[in-house]
Amino acid sequence: MDLSSITSPVEIFDYHARNTPDAPFVAEDLHTSLSYLETYVLTEDLLCRRLCELCPAIQSQGSPRSRVVLITPNNSLLLSTVLALWRLSCVAVPLQPRAEPDLWMGMISCARPALIIAAPSALEQVKKCVAEYNVTAKTDIPV
């Protein structure tokens, strides 16, 4: 397979993981990075399995494109989680944890996600917002 026949970001990633497994894929800082192989193992083996455990609807819905809201900092784990979601044919909806909760709720209401993943620093605020806006009654979202 050559790069000209690849049609998705996951296929591009897999191509590089097969051909240059030890090359750096993402760097968190000057001293922390993940290779293509490490990221492949993280996304394929660990994150996909955990995401399906957290929300079986992602795997069993039958229709691809389940939306998952990510309220997390921009870091290598966010990138790895997005890649894992793409592997599951999901749509990642990243939101900034420092954004106003009203923005979160507007996006959550529009996206109607199957799952919300929040950073520990935002988790309590997200739970409070979801309860306050009664979003779970409308969408059955696990947080």
Side-chain angles (χ1 to χ4, degrees), residues 7 18 23 29 33 39 47 54-55 78 84 90 106-107 113-115 119 143:
T7 60
R18 276 190 307 279
D29 55 39
S33 66
T39 305
L47 287 174
L54 287 171
C55 186
L78 172 64
C90 293
M107 293 298 294
L115 177 67
V143 178

Side-chain angles (χ1 to χ4, degrees), residues 76-122:
S76 58
L77 187 55
L78 172 64
L79 183 58
S80 298
T81 304
V82 169
L83 189 58
L85 289 168
W86 288 345
R87 286 189 182 287
L88 295 168
S89 297
C90 293
V91 175
V93 183
L95 301 177
Q96 185 56 246
R98 291 185 304 264
E100 291 294 321
D102 287 340
L103 175 65
W104 296 341
M105 294 322 303
M107 293 298 294
I108 290 167
S109 295
C110 288
R112 299 187 57 78
L115 177 67
I116 299 171
I117 297 173
S121 60

Side-chain angles (χ1 to χ4, degrees), residues 43-98:
T43 60
E44 182 71 18
D45 295 341
L46 301 174
L47 287 174
C48 285
R49 185 175 337 118
R50 184 64 179 135
L51 288 166
C52 290
E53 288 170 4
L54 287 171
C55 186
I58 286 176
Q59 194 172 24
S60 66
Q61 255 180 335
S63 73
R65 304 291 181 227
S66 294
R67 289 169 299 280
V68 176
V69 168
L70 303 165
I71 304 175
T72 64
N74 295 331
N75 59 25
S76 58
L77 187 55
L78 172 64
L79 183 58
S80 298
T81 304
V82 169
L83 189 58
L85 289 168
W86 288 345
R87 286 189 182 287
L88 295 168
S89 297
C90 293
V91 175
V93 183
L95 301 177
Q96 185 56 246
R98 291 185 304 264

